[in-house]
């Protein structure tokens, strides 16, 4: 009964807080309170993402982590236009230099190897209409789910959930006064690439303290719900 939710009382954490943490910690036992958690489905659908953030291939994860971190740090120091322009110039410098180098080598050796990027130029990268519709259908599932959540929260279907959102947004005003968007993205990337591997090593201790915090939070929420008008009556029904 641990993962059971009372009808009409969908805790906002199930929609906003826990999926993010479940996505990071699915391989352990921390968030296995319900058989079909969002994180579990995401990991089964994206094993490459799981392997990436759990550092299964150190070289691949290091490359992705380093590249994205450098990009975010660049965006923090320069404008988006400057960063994109420099990236394109760097890529063109490499490809043009390699193209000219191979052309000179072929001219000196009088070989007929052809275009050095021919193998990549011949790759079919067109997106079929069927694949496009599949991607759109998958995206629409998440869009519709998000719209239902937004309507439910802003039209106060559940008072406690809406109050949680209000408190969270109020706290975010203080976060926004200290950090900008790029800084938060940098911190988020550091957490994504560090929290899962740390949890995997110390999951027993983390599970213990998270369980204590979850029980205390549940107790506080139940006390608040008992004092709010209409909530106790809804639970009794």
């Amino acid at each position: 009964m641990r993962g059971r939710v009372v009808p009409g009382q969908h805790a906002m954490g199930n929609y906003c807080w826990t999926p993010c943490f479940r996505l990071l910690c699915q391989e352990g036992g921390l968030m296995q309170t319900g058989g079909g958690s969002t994180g579990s489905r995401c990991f089964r659908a994206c094993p490459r993402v799981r392997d990436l953030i759990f550092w299964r291939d150190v070289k691949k994860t290091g490359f992705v982590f380093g590249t994205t971190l450098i990009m975010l740090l660049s965006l923090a120091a320069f404008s988006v236009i400057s960063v994109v322009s420099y990236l394109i110039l760097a890529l063109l410098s490499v490809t043009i230099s390699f193209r000219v180098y191979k052309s000179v080598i072929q001219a000196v050796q009088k070989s007929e190897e052809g275009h050095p990027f021919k193998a990549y130029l011949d790759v079919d990268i067109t997106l079929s209409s069927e694949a496009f519709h599949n991607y759109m259908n998958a995206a629409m599932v998440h869009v519709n789910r998000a719209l239902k959540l937004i309507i439910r929260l802003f039209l106060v279907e559940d008072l406690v959930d809406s109050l949680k959102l209000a408190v969270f947004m109020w706290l975010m005003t203080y976060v926004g006064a200290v950090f900008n968007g790029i800084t938060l993205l940098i911190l988020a990337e550091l957490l994504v690439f560090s929290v899962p591997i740390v949890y995997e090593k110390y999951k027993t201790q983390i599970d213990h303290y998270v369980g204590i915090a979850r029980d205390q939070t549940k107790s506080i929420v139940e006390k608040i719900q008992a004092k709010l008008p209409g909530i106790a009556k809804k639970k009794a029904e």
Side-chain angles (χ1 to χ4, degrees), residues 14-233:
N14 290 340
Y15 290 89
C16 295
W17 327 117
T18 53
C20 299
F21 201 65
R22 282 171 176 167
L23 181 63
L24 296 178
C25 302
Q26 183 268 347
E27 283 204 347
L30 182 61
M31 288 298 175
Q32 295 177 352
T33 57
S37 70
T38 304
S40 301
R41 289 195 298 268
C42 291
F43 264 142
R44 283 196 294 268
C46 308
R48 293 182 180 179
V49 175
R50 178 194 61 205
D51 294 341
L52 193 67
I53 65 176
F54 278 93
W55 295 78
R56 298 295 183 246
D57 188 335
V58 177
K59 291 183 179 179
K60 184 184 294 185
T61 301
F63 174 77
V64 173
F65 174 67
T67 303
T68 52
L69 185 60
I70 290 173
M71 259 189 105
L72 290 174
L73 291 173
S74 300
L75 289 172
F78 306 100
S79 67
V80 177
I81 295 176
S82 298
V83 173
V84 172
S85 299
Y86 281 122
L87 284 174
I88 293 175
L89 283 173
L91 181 60
L92 284 174
S93 298
V94 172
T95 54
I96 291 174
S97 299
F98 186 72
R99 175 76 168 87
V100 172
Y101 168 75
K102 293 296 290 185
S103 298
V104 171
I105 294 297
Q106 290 177 26
V108 171
Q109 296 179 349
K110 296 182 180 180
S111 61
E112 297 294 336
E113 295 181 6
H115 199 289
F117 298 117
K118 181 175 175 53
Y120 299 101
L121 292 171
D122 293 339
V123 174
D124 185 13
I125 59 173
T126 57
L127 185 64
S128 65
S129 59
E130 182 180 357
F132 176 78
H133 284 99
N134 289 336
Y135 287 127
M136 287 300 298
N137 291 334
M140 286 305 299
V141 171
H142 298 288
V143 171
N144 291 331
R145 187 178 301 165
L147 289 175
K148 289 180 180 179
L149 174 61
I150 291 171
I151 292 173
R152 192 178 69 81
L153 292 174
F154 282 95
L155 298 184
V156 198
E157 179 184 351
D158 189 301
L159 181 59
V160 174
D161 288 354
S162 297
L163 287 175
K164 287 180 182 179
L165 177 63
V167 171
F168 178 72
M169 290 295 105
W170 177 68
L171 293 174
M172 288 303 294
T173 60
Y174 290 94
V175 175
V178 179
F179 304 104
N180 58 27
I182 295 297
T183 305
L184 289 177
L185 288 176
I186 293 173
L187 292 175
E189 179 177 9
L190 293 175
L191 289 174
V192 166
F193 283 95
S194 60
V195 170
I197 193 67
V198 171
Y199 170 73
E200 192 175 42
K201 290 182 179 179
Y202 305 101
K203 62 181 180 180
T204 303
Q205 297 91 324
I206 294 175
D207 284 351
H208 173 68
Y209 290 111
V210 169
I212 294 174
R214 186 191 297 121
D215 293 339
Q216 291 179 348
T217 302
K218 183 180 178 181
S219 176
I220 294 172
V221 170
E222 288 177 350
K223 290 179 181 178
I224 294 174
Q225 289 175 338
K227 295 181 179 180
L228 289 174
I231 300 295
K233 183 178 179 181

